[in-house]
């Protein structure tokens, strides 16, 4: 049974059982495994005895759209196309060639749908597109939340400290772990796939491998080596779980690459937290319902990052108004940063200096070069990288804007509630005041590149990112 707290009705329009198909408008959970929205759409299709049609559209004018992110989005289309085809499901991959071209496609397919199901996720442009669809469609539209182990709406409120959210998870999670999504929603037979309507495919042609990149997409941020798609994500997950015993020690050291590097797959919806927990539980021989209290320390540490920290930032995105604005930071942080806004800055950099890694600091430059070249920054260095931008910006507000720009322009896991969470953490969110009071930072936690070089192993990292 799908956890009822994951399902929301977005309009008052009826289910129309006489129409042709059930439409799944796949948006942020681009996967087949552990996908409650797909599971819900497939359940409707079986109950109504209608085929399932999956619309998988990539727009071209979302904020920071560039060749790097298009490669991530389009790469997963082909992975899914092959898997839907072998399951006999109709899949409609569409890549918008110019801004606005996709307009009308959802409505055209929904006009023949008994019911439309889509993914629920609290951030970026998704809430706006869902609200617009809910206003326009004449058929029931449901959003299903596949974000985390805890349904976003299972939290009674927004939490602003990990310690409180962790306590809430301890009491709330056992119920929801008992309502795990299916590992494969397509294993049970579904009515035969419909042929796609010619009038619709003529106006919105199906995407094909090798189609040219839309002209409007920024080519100056090039694709990276990361392989998108659920198949690659599962392979990466298995390889990480095999070395999970070393997580606690290795995750800190850039030279050891001890973290999972799964954040892009999570961000693009190619992998779910349920799949990760199921894989770890299976390796450890425990039931997913039992939770991870009794597992070894590295496992618990990893799951704390994955579940407590990741789901906390999604909780913030869902519950804190303007969660991605500077003004939404905690009052003590805003007050302390304002008090020190006029402090002299020993180093001040323009965005272009930062973007081209032209600062005086070799640690920062190495992290920025990794971001530009690989679309990621090592976990520990990401914190130092953020703190320095606060220190080197003319004002904390400008530092906040610059970090959002750098992170979201280059990071393949960017434009996520975790992006805002990490950046806001740099400025005090989820944290407490730290003494002694310092210039520029005030009571915000300070980090330095010099201490980082002493504390973590990064000689090779610095050599590789010169
Ligand atoms: C300035 C700054 C910017 C950040 N921007 C992003 C971003 O754009 N996208 C993003 O996913 N994370 C972001 N983070 C959080 C964190 O750095 C990354 O999630 C982590 O480095 C991803 O690497 P990994 O998958 O190897 O992590 P692992 O250590 O293997 O952790 C597993 C998973 O847990 C979650 N996680 C780990 N650390 C955090 C954290 N501090 N907060 C929330 N979730 C966490 C992620 O989903 C991650 O994939 C940012 C942090 C900072 C300080």
């Amino acid at each position: 049974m799908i956890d009822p707290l994951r399902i929301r009705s977005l309009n008052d329009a009826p289910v129309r059982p006489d129409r042709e198909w059930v439409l799944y408008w796949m948006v942020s959970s681009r996967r087949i495994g552990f996908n409650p929205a797909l599971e819900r759409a497939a359940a409707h299709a079986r109950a109504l005895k209608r085929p399932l049609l999956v619309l998988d559209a990539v727009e071209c004018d979302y904020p920071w759209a560039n060749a790097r992110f298009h490669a991530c989005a389009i790469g997963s289309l082909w992975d899914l196309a092959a898997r839907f085809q072998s399951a006999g499901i109709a899949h409609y991959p569409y890549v918008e060639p110019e801004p606005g071209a996709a307009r009308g496609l959802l409505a055209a397919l929904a006009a023949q749908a008994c019911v439309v199901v889509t993914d629920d996720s609290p951030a970026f442009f998704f809430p706006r597109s869902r609200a617009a669809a809910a206003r326009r469609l004449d058929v029931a539209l449901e959003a299903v939340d596949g974000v985390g182990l805890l349904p976003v709406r299972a939290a009674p409120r927004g939490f602003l400290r990990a310690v409180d959210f962790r306590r809430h998870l301890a009491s709330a999670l056992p119920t929801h772990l008992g309502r795990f999504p299916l590992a494969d929603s397509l294993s049970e037979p579904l009515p035969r796939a419909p042929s796609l309507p010619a009038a619709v495919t003529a106006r919105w042609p199906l995407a094909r491998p090798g189609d040219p990149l839309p002209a409007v997409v920024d080519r100056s941020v090039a694709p990276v080596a990361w392989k998108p798609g659920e198949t690659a994500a599962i392979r990466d997950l298995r390889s990480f779980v095999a070395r999970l015993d070393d997580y606690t020690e290795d995750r800190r050291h850039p030279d050891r690459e001890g973290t999972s590097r799964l954040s892009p797959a999570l961000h693009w919806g190619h992998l779910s937290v349920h799949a990760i927990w199921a894989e770890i539980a299976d390796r450890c021989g425990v039931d997913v319902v039992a939770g991870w209290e009794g597992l070894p320390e590295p496992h618990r540490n990893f799951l704390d990052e994955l579940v407590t920290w990741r789901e906390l930032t999604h909780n913030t995105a869902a519950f804190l108004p303007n969660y991605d604005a500077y003004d939404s930071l905690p009052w003590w942080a805003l007050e302390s940063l304002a008090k020190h806004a006029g402090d002299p800055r020993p180093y001040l950099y323009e965005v272009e200096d930062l973007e081209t890694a032209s600062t005086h600091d070799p640690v920062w430059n190495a992290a920025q070069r990794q971001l530009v070249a690989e679309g990621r920054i090592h976990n520990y260095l990401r914190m130092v990288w953020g703190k320095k931008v606060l220190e080197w910006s003319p004002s904390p507000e400008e530092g906040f804007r610059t970090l959002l720009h750098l992170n979201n322009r280059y990071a393949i896991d960017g434009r996520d509630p975790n992006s805002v969470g990490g950046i806001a953490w740099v400025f005090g969110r989820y944290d407490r005041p730290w003494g002694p009071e310092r210039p520029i930072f005030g009571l915000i936690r300070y980090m330095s590149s010099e201490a980082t070089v002493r504390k973590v192993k990064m000689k090779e990292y610095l050599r590789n990112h010169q």
Side-chain angles (χ1 to χ4, degrees):
M1 186 192 89
I2 300 173
D3 200 321
L5 279 174
R6 293 192 185 277
I7 305 172
R8 281 197 301 150
S9 238
L10 297 187
N11 60 7
D12 294 327
V15 172
R16 298 186 182 273
D18 296 338
R19 290 188 176 175
E20 296 293 321
W21 48 64
V22 168
L23 179 63
Y24 172 33
W25 175 27
M26 184 179 252
V27 177
S28 55
S29 296
R30 290 189 141 113
R31 59 176 182 266
I32 289 177
F34 302 97
N35 179 346
L38 177 59
E39 185 177 333
R40 175 76 171 171
H44 276 308
R46 289 188 194 101
L48 292 161
K49 300 193 174 31
R50 287 289 183 277
L52 176 62
L53 169 60
V54 180
L55 170 62
D56 190 359
V58 179
E59 292 178 17
C60 67
D61 62 347
Y62 57 90
W64 295 289
N66 60 40
R68 175 170 297 179
F69 306 146
H70 249 57
C72 298
I74 293 172
S76 84
L77 287 182
W78 313 131
D79 184 47
L80 283 171
R83 301 180 66 208
F84 279 124
Q85 193 182 18
S86 68
I89 306 293
H91 177 233
Y92 198 129
Y94 176 73
V95 178
E96 191 178 48
E98 57 197 29
R103 208 168 296 138
L105 172 58
L106 173 68
L109 294 174
Q112 297 182 60
C114 311
V115 52
V116 181
V117 179
T118 191
D119 305 316
D120 210 352
S121 70
F124 206 33
F125 62 86
F126 303 129
R128 221 178 34 248
S129 334
R130 276 195 308 268
R135 282 194 300 275
R136 276 190 217 118
L137 301 190
D138 72 343
V139 62
L141 173 64
E142 292 181 342
V144 184
D145 159 14
V147 165
L149 293 187
L150 188 75
V152 171
R153 285 189 312 134
R157 61 181 171 89
F159 288 86
L160 285 173
R161 298 190 320 163
V163 61
D164 300 327
F165 190 59
R166 201 175 281 117
R167 202 172 299 126
H168 175 67
L169 283 172
S171 67
L173 256 191
T175 312
H176 300 284
L177 289 178
R179 298 172 185 156
F180 229 66
L182 294 176
D184 180 3
S185 329
L186 305 179
S187 58
E188 299 270 313
L190 277 157
R192 246 171 56 95
S195 35
L196 297 173
V200 180
T201 53
R203 176 152 175 212
W204 292 279
L206 295 171
R208 306 209 180 274
D211 280 352
L213 197 62
V216 67
V217 165
D218 173 8
R219 281 150 169 82
S220 67
V221 184
V224 292
W226 179 69
K227 182 137 179 56
E230 187 174 16
T231 309
I234 302 275
R235 189 199 54 216
D236 295 346
L237 166 64
R238 291 191 177 140
S239 125
F240 169 68
V241 174
R243 52 192 168 84
L244 184 50
D245 285 344
D246 300 323
Y247 181 76
T248 305
E249 178 50 25
D250 285 359
R251 64 191 289 249
R252 289 165 54 80
H253 303 293
D255 283 353
R256 294 198 186 152
E257 285 289 9
T259 65
S260 69
R261 294 167 59 174
L262 291 173
S263 57
L266 285 161
H267 165 71
W268 290 94
H270 302 164
L271 188 67
S272 78
V273 179
H274 288 94
I276 302 178
W277 169 226
E279 181 70 23
I280 296 174
D282 187 47
R283 289 262 184 147
C284 297
V286 297
D287 194 315
V288 288
V289 181
W292 47 89
E293 267 316 294
L295 297 192
E297 192 197 13
H299 299 57
R300 284 188 276 115
N301 288 344
F302 172 73
L303 287 156
D304 191 54
E305 296 295 339
L306 178 72
V307 182
T308 309
W309 282 98
R310 179 175 175 277
E311 295 188 22
L312 175 61
T313 71
H314 286 74
N315 166 276
T316 307
F319 286 92
L320 183 68
N322 296 326
Y323 78 101
D324 56 355
Y326 178 81
D327 294 346
S328 70
L329 292 171
W331 66 266
W332 66 265
L334 288 173
E335 204 172 270
S336 191
L337 288 166
K339 183 173 159 199
H340 290 274
D343 292 353
R345 268 70 176 154
Y347 298 96
L348 266 182
Y349 291 109
E350 302 286 337
V351 176
E352 299 80 65
D353 302 325
L354 297 172
E355 209 142 8
T356 51
S358 311
T359 78
H360 66 286
D361 179 338
V363 170
W364 196 91
N365 291 345
Q368 174 66 18
R369 284 192 196 109
Q370 185 187 26
L371 177 65
V372 172
E374 298 176 12
R376 68 192 188 95
I377 301 185
H378 179 273
N379 203 16
Y380 189 91
L381 294 182
R382 211 164 188 171
M383 298 188 276
V384 188
W385 172 81
K387 292 285 182 185
K388 295 294 115 181
V389 175
L390 160 58
E391 191 175 338
W392 301 337
S393 295
S395 69
E397 291 90 332
E398 214 165 315
F400 192 89
R401 274 197 301 277
T402 302
L403 272 180
L404 278 175
H405 166 76
L406 293 176
N407 192 83
N408 290 349
R409 178 159 197 236
Y410 294 101
I412 52 173
D413 62 4
R415 305 151 311 283
D416 191 271
N418 266 1
S419 320
V420 177
I423 290 163
W425 172 85
V426 165
F427 295 78
R429 180 176 292 163
Y430 309 129
D431 211 352
R432 62 172 173 83
W434 288 78
E437 197 162 345
R438 291 173 177 271
I440 307 172
F441 283 79
L443 293 171
I444 303 291
R445 184 200 296 247
Y446 176 75
M447 288 177 87
S448 81
S449 302
E450 294 72 23
T452 302
V453 174
R454 281 197 304 275
K455 278 198 228 157
V456 305
K457 297 187 176 29
M458 59 178 304
K459 279 201 187 103
E460 223 174 285
Y461 181 91
L462 287 173
R463 251 197 322 272
N464 290 342
H465 299 287
Q466 264 177 14

